[in-house]
Amino acid sequence: MGTALMNVDQNSVILALVLGLIFLVLFEILRIHVSRGRTPPGPRPFPFVGTLPYFIKDPMGSARSIHQYGEMATVYIGRQQGIVLNTLQITKEALVQEASTFSGRPALPLIDWITNGLGIIMVTFGHSWRQQRRFALHTLRNFGLGKKSVEERVSEEGRYLVAEMLKEEGTTFDPKHVIQNAVSNIICSIVFGYRFDYDNKRFAYLLKVLNENFILTGSAGAQMFNLVPFIKHFPGPHQKMLQNTNELLRFIREEVKEHRQTLDPENPRDFIDAYLLEIEKQKSHEDSTFHEENMVMSTADLFLAGTDTTATTIRWGLIFLMENPEVQERCHEEIVQVLGYDRQPSMDDRDKLPYTYATVHEIQRCANIVPFGVIHATTQPTKLRGYDIPQGTMIMTNLTRIFSDKKHWKSPDTFNPENFLDENGHFYKPEAFIAFSLGPRVCPGETLARTELFLYIVTLLQRLHFSWPPNSPRPDMDGIMGVVRFPHPFKIVCCSRDAKY
């Protein structure tokens, strides 16, 4: 009798769970149906996970096709609604004309878990963000950003980069580490006050874990964390991300400790010195957001933003230049005609090198390293094109579509520097080139990135010729989707242009 009652109880529990699950699914389907009737059109979401399966399965295919739903499309990251802006016009309307409303950042559990809501890049639009960004931009300018001194650092590092590549002359090698190291050394010189040699094993390891985090953050595991944050208590790729982040923060804290011990208030050497002085200066202000943890995270943001994005663009650039050897040769000929083999380039040479300058921009357009831009969020309820947009809605810019729209580009689907040249062969920048975004949250490192891309690419093409190794397979041009779109691992062969070096 007892066994029978137990079986009945177990059956009742199972039935209740099944009925409850069915009810939840039906309720979710109804919620989705009602929600879709009030939002811009978009791909049909699945219960609980939204449209994530489409983007995880084929991220670039989704980026290329989402514009079919119109100038705005609705997507769902789990149950959280997002709006994709598919045209330049509506992007300007949102990010520029309604800037304060569309300049937030979404609440992403993974990012909040790692950053504790501190820093510059992913912090919400508000007082802390304004203080930290304003201070960072002012301090970076003081230490040479946009000035000849930073140009000189990039030019000098360009010489080191070429010399490092020439050590592998005629052999097959992966250029990833040397490019990352060269790019990172510029922001390191501004933030920490010095550069790192290419054979520094500790720094090589740090660059490796940073790159790993950039890939993991865009992975299916990271998206799962954002859907069910309680998995932070369990093993998984998110634990590796936290471990990698802690490695970087530990490195920065060690730098801060050393800077504090050797600080000369009359002669700040770099960003960390300047921040330590600002903490003291702001101590009496109740609304100050300057403290050591914010300093560490803001430094990490600058280090991250100043490393992988530009390095990734240059790596894509090598792929496009090897795939289009006639472009590579034309750039080299133009560079040598203006600079010869010995003079280092400067930003003043841009007007004299229109084809090469156009090629740098075309690399950025085709590399398209952030296909949906850095995600924004609405800071308050608003309307856009007649649709009600709730507060906290994620806003994405479909750069993939904008960078391939026939309205804006002569050759939207092929690598062609003519996209940035007028009928007289002079450089011009189409309005649709918004690689650094628009509005108040435009990339704070834009000036540095432009300087590095131009000077590094000119220096490389002046001194070296790049080609694919014999019979090597070409990488999948859709790349690997992380925080940025990375090229698949590839190897190159470089040869000296017979210059004195």
Side-chain angles (χ1 to χ4, degrees):
M1 181 72 175
T3 303
L5 285 173
M6 187 178 296
N7 288 336
V8 170
D9 288 344
Q10 286 178 345
N11 290 337
S12 298
V13 169
I14 292 171
L15 179 61
L17 289 172
V18 171
L19 289 175
L21 182 60
I22 292 172
F23 173 78
L24 281 175
V25 171
L26 290 174
F27 179 79
E28 179 70 1
I29 290 171
L30 178 62
R31 186 192 70 81
I32 289 170
H33 178 75
V34 172
S35 174
R36 291 188 79 207
R38 298 194 295 251
T39 60
R44 182 176 294 277
F46 297 96
F48 307 112
V49 296
T51 53
L52 264 179
Y54 303 120
F55 291 93
I56 290 173
K57 180 181 178 183
D58 186 6
M60 287 308 295
S62 298
R64 285 189 284 263
S65 64
I66 195 76
H67 75 276
Q68 67 182 293
Y69 296 100
E71 62 181 354
M72 299 166 61
T74 302
V75 296
Y76 291 88
I77 310 301
R79 304 177 82 241
Q80 189 175 1
Q81 179 183 319
I83 302 294
V84 180
L85 308 177
N86 288 317
T87 68
L88 176 64
Q89 184 178 357
I90 199 167
T91 298
K92 288 166 58 181
E93 185 176 325
L95 303 189
V96 179
Q97 295 172 23
E98 301 293 335
S100 61
T101 301
F102 286 88
S103 291
R105 287 284 191 246
L108 297 174
L110 180 62
I111 300 299
D112 292 342
W113 185 53
I114 289 174
T115 67
N116 292 315
L118 300 173
I120 304 170
I121 297 175
M122 292 305 295
V123 72
T124 190
F125 187 70
H127 176 63
S128 179
W129 170 78
R130 289 189 186 91
Q131 277 202 336
Q132 298 301 315
R133 182 183 170 98
R134 188 184 304 119
F135 173 79
L137 288 174
H138 174 72
T139 305
L140 292 176
R141 280 193 292 268
N142 283 348
F143 288 105
L145 194 63
K147 300 176 183 176
K148 284 289 182 185
S149 55
V150 161
E151 281 190 42
E152 290 164 2
R153 291 185 210 180
V154 177
S155 291
E156 180 184 19
E157 194 65 44
R159 291 195 293 272
Y160 288 126
L161 175 58
V162 169
E164 201 67 23
M165 284 190 166
L166 282 174
K167 291 178 182 178
E168 308 288 344
E169 182 175 10
T171 66
T172 297
F173 73 102
D174 185 340
K176 180 178 177 180
H177 170 67
V178 292
I179 291 172
Q180 271 192 312
N181 210 133
V183 170
S184 188
N185 269 343
I186 304 307
I187 194 66
C188 284
S189 69
I190 296 171
V191 172
F192 303 129
Y194 57 89
R195 64 181 293 279
F196 292 88
D197 291 334
Y198 292 83
D199 58 359
N200 185 308
K201 289 190 169 125
R202 184 186 178 208
F203 192 60
Y205 173 72
L206 196 62
L207 291 177
K208 176 179 170 290
V209 299
L210 292 182
N211 187 254
E212 194 172 62
N213 259 21
F214 266 78
I215 293 174
L216 285 172
T217 306
S219 68
Q223 303 311 320
M224 185 59 66
F225 187 104
N226 287 327
L227 294 180
V228 279
F230 69 82
I231 68 171
K232 69 183 179 182
H233 302 293
F234 301 95
H238 52 281
Q239 300 295 350
K240 180 62 175 170
M241 290 179 60
L242 183 63
Q243 179 187 330
N244 289 347
T245 301
N246 288 338
E247 291 272 2
L248 172 61
L249 299 184
R250 188 179 302 114
F251 174 82
I252 294 172
R253 287 190 179 102
E254 289 171 4
E255 289 292 328
V256 170
K257 181 180 178 182
E258 186 175 325
H259 276 66
R260 185 177 276 115
Q261 291 171 348
T262 57
L263 178 65
D264 177 359
E266 300 301 319
N267 297 289
R269 297 158 293 188
D270 48 41
F271 179 83
I272 292 178
D273 275 1
Y275 204 111
L276 288 169
L277 294 173
E278 191 68 17
I279 290 175
E280 290 300 314
K281 179 181 172 183
Q282 296 277 351
K283 267 187 175 178
S284 60
H285 299 165
E286 291 183 7
D287 66 344
S288 171
T289 60
F290 292 91
H291 51 80
E292 184 161 326
E293 285 308 300
N294 226 347
M295 170 174 58
V296 170
M297 194 56 67
S298 292
T299 302
D301 276 353
L302 293 175
F303 184 62
L304 290 166
T307 299
D308 257 338
T309 50
T310 302
T312 299
T313 304
I314 293 173
R315 288 171 61 215
W316 276 114
L318 290 181
I319 292 174
F320 293 126
L321 290 166
M322 290 187 296
E323 284 289 281
N324 298 272
E326 72 286 351
V327 173
Q328 185 178 168
E329 287 307 306
R330 186 170 167 185
C331 286
H332 172 72
E333 289 167 8
E334 182 183 66
I335 292 166
V336 171
Q337 186 176 4
V338 173
L339 303 177
Y341 284 98
D342 298 318
R343 181 166 82 76
Q344 287 293 117
S346 75
M347 295 303 283
D348 293 337
D349 294 317
R350 286 172 292 182
D351 290 341
K352 304 168 199 168
L353 300 169
Y355 187 82
T356 306
Y357 195 39
T359 299
V360 172
H361 284 75
E362 183 68 351
I363 287 170
Q364 285 185 270
R365 184 186 76 89
C366 293
N368 184 24
I369 64 168
V370 191
F372 285 106
V374 179
I375 301 178
H376 289 221
T378 49
T379 58
Q380 60 188 20
T382 187
K383 276 185 176 290
L384 189 61
R385 291 289 197 271
Y387 288 103
D388 290 319
I389 311 293
Q391 180 176 343
T393 300
M394 290 183 292
I395 305 296
M396 289 160 270
T397 304
N398 190 354
L399 295 181
T400 303
R401 174 57 182 170
I402 293 171
F403 286 172
S404 61
D405 192 331
K406 293 178 182 177
K407 295 178 185 175
H408 306 297
W409 308 100
K410 301 171 191 173
S411 303
D413 301 319
T414 58
F415 182 83
N416 185 359
E418 299 287 338
N419 281 312
F420 291 90
L421 295 172
D422 64 18
E423 59 277 6
N424 298 315
H426 298 141
F427 173 83
Y428 85 103
K429 187 172 72 172
E431 190 182 18
F433 184 74
I434 54 171
F436 297 99
S437 191
L438 295 170
R441 300 207 81 143
V442 65
C443 174
E446 178 177 356
T447 301
L448 180 58
R450 289 185 186 281
T451 301
E452 290 179 322
L453 286 171
F454 179 72
L455 295 181
Y456 278 142
I457 290 172
V458 170
T459 300
L460 290 172
L461 293 179
Q462 179 187 28
R463 312 306 299 248
L464 302 173
H465 174 268
F466 299 97
S467 59
W468 292 111
N471 304 316
S472 67
R474 301 298 189 261
D476 177 356
M477 296 301 282
D478 275 355
I480 301 168
M481 191 64 74
V483 173
V484 300
R485 186 173 73 103
F486 296 96
H488 286 275
F490 66 95
K491 293 188 176 181
I492 66 171
V493 175
C494 76
C495 298
S496 170
R497 292 283 190 173
D498 296 323
K500 293 178 183 178
Y501 204 77

